[in-house]
Amino acid sequence: MDGKMEANIPSCCLKAQAFPIDPVVGANCHATVVSGWFSDTVGKSKYFNNPMWPGEAHSLKVEQILFKEKSEYQEVLVFESATFGKVLVLYGILQLTEKDECAYQEMIAHLPLCSIESPKKVLVVGGGDGGVLREVSRHSSVELIDICEIDKMVIDVGKRFFPELAVGFEDPRVHLHVGDALEFIRNTPKGKYDAIIVDSSDPVGPAQGLVERPFFEMLARALRPGGVLCNMAESMWLHTHLIEDMITTCRHIFKGSVHYAWTSVPTYPSGVIGFILCSTDGLPVNFKVPVNPIEKLEGALKHHRELRFYNSQMHRAAFALPSFVKREVNCL
């Protein structure tokens, strides 16, 4: 390669010198975009090792980088992909795409809210893109939706580039709190919420504290008797030890029921993501059977936009676990 060609390669792409610069992306590159392809790569290894899924790379073709900037907490990237629409990346990890965000947002919200009668007060932890708010607002019984997001840039980027998700912030029941979720929940009155939804990113960077025991203890305290938690809980294909640790912790803290559910999200590592659902001691909660079916809530199916993924059949199916998960996660 001659000196002139090498001088045109951005520093973040030097590891890809054997490949031509993509004519679309060009010098507007990014540490996780090499020769026009995005790959989840928090780790610095030239082999694309990510500490959450070592030895793997999950890639999308980049048509155009729309936004890249460092917030106080993490690097924020938005790009237009060739097949999944706009994509949001935080801390080098893909968070959502326009095409398949419905599978995650709808399931993480409706699995807990359709498992209890008439939820009224809901807390969303994380979720700065607004997608969970959009789904929670389908429930007309809800009177208050608090959201605590640490990174204001995520909120601003969501409103700018993902208006179909950020529409959730427009609901008058929503009260936004920008700050540390641990501090917010520590100061929350005991028993305030009927449901808490933790839409956190993977436990690296600013989200590390959101998978540890003190956090779950504070969540349980903030829930009313018979209140429910839905917490993102990684992939059963990649993280059975982490899932088992989280379930064991939750069974010590929550005195109601604790279950693991999952959904398909094609652009997440392994193509699936899981949720831990817990209830506090009080009225028993059977998460596997929706007692508050969304199909019977007036206007819920088409609120802001039609439901694309969740329904009562998908709700029940989410709790069916493969045999290897039952074996490897001993506490299920």
Side-chain angles (χ1 to χ4, degrees):
M1 181 178 295
D2 62 36
K4 181 179 178 181
M5 183 66 176
E6 184 170 334
N8 290 329
I9 300 178
S11 59
C12 60
C13 285
L14 288 177
K15 60 187 173 181
Q17 289 187 31
F19 303 93
I21 299 176
D22 187 278
V24 177
V25 177
N28 186 24
C29 203
H30 181 269
T32 54
V33 178
V34 177
S35 297
W37 287 80
F38 163 83
S39 293
D40 282 312
T41 67
V42 170
K44 301 302 182 184
S45 166
K46 65 181 179 180
Y47 300 109
F48 292 141
N49 268 335
N50 183 301
M52 291 299 296
W53 39 91
E56 300 183 32
H58 307 274
S59 303
L60 290 175
K61 183 168 177 56
V62 177
E63 296 290 343
Q64 182 183 4
I65 293 178
L66 303 173
F67 180 91
K68 55 172 183 172
E69 209 168 299
K70 285 187 177 179
S71 73
E72 182 181 352
Y73 302 97
Q74 59 200 337
E75 193 168 55
V76 180
L77 168 69
V78 180
F79 66 87
E80 184 74 40
S81 70
T83 53
F84 281 84
K86 289 194 287 290
V87 179
L88 174 65
V89 178
L90 301 178
Y91 209 76
I93 300 175
L94 187 149
Q95 303 298 308
L96 65 88
T97 80
E98 287 183 305
K99 184 172 183 178
D100 65 5
E101 56 86 8
C102 59
Y104 179 83
Q105 314 284 2
E106 293 178 15
M107 293 295 275
I108 198 173
H110 303 310
L111 286 175
L113 296 183
C114 290
S115 295
I116 57 175
E117 298 279 1
S118 301
K120 290 181 170 54
K121 295 182 179 180
V122 179
L123 169 64
V124 177
V125 176
D129 53 71
V132 173
L133 297 178
R134 180 193 68 199
E135 297 307 317
V136 172
S137 66
R138 292 182 190 269
H139 293 258
S140 57
S141 66
V142 172
E143 300 169 355
L144 169 71
I145 310 170
D146 279 333
I147 175 171
C148 186
E149 165 63 55
I150 196 170
D151 197 338
K152 187 175 185 300
M153 184 180 288
V154 173
I155 299 169
D156 294 339
V157 165
K159 291 179 178 180
R160 178 178 171 186
F161 294 103
F162 300 93
E164 280 202 356
L165 287 88
V167 67
F169 284 103
E170 298 175 7
D171 194 291
R173 296 169 291 178
V174 170
H175 296 263
L176 172 62
H177 308 268
V178 177
D180 181 7
L182 291 168
E183 187 66 24
F184 179 84
I185 297 169
R186 187 178 291 116
N187 295 316
T188 295
K190 183 178 180 180
K192 178 176 180 178
Y193 297 108
D194 299 291
I196 298 175
I197 298 168
V198 180
D199 177 19
S200 61
S201 53
D202 295 282
V204 294
Q208 176 62 45
L210 303 187
V211 294
E212 297 171 352
R213 184 181 181 113
F215 179 63
F216 287 112
E217 290 174 337
M218 289 188 287
L219 292 175
R221 179 184 173 277
L223 286 168
R224 64 159 171 81
V228 296
L229 164 71
C230 186
N231 199 110
M232 191 279 287
E234 300 301 339
S235 166
M236 61 186 177
W237 290 104
L238 303 173
H239 306 120
T240 51
H241 292 300
L242 176 58
I243 294 165
E244 183 172 5
D245 288 346
M246 293 176 73
I247 290 175
T248 300
T249 297
C250 288
R251 288 219 164 121
H252 280 109
I253 296 170
F254 293 86
K255 303 305 181 182
S257 58
V258 176
H259 288 281
Y260 183 79
W262 62 284
T263 189
S264 169
V265 184
T267 52
Y268 284 176
S270 83
V272 302
I273 196 72
F275 313 102
I276 287 180
L277 290 110
C278 312
S279 64
T280 55
D281 193 20
L283 291 174
V285 177
N286 181 1
F287 285 110
K288 297 183 179 182
V289 179
V291 298
N292 184 29
I294 201 163
E295 294 91 344
K296 294 186 178 180
L297 302 179
E298 185 177 355
L301 297 180
K302 296 186 178 182
H303 183 69
H304 288 311
R305 70 166 199 184
E306 288 188 326
L307 278 170
R308 295 175 56 196
F309 193 89
Y310 177 89
N311 56 51
S312 291
Q313 290 73 35
M314 294 301 294
H315 183 122
R316 294 182 179 91
F319 294 91
L321 300 177
S323 297
F324 82 89
V325 178
K326 294 181 179 180
R327 285 194 301 268
E328 294 180 23
V329 182
N330 296 323
C331 50
L332 287 177

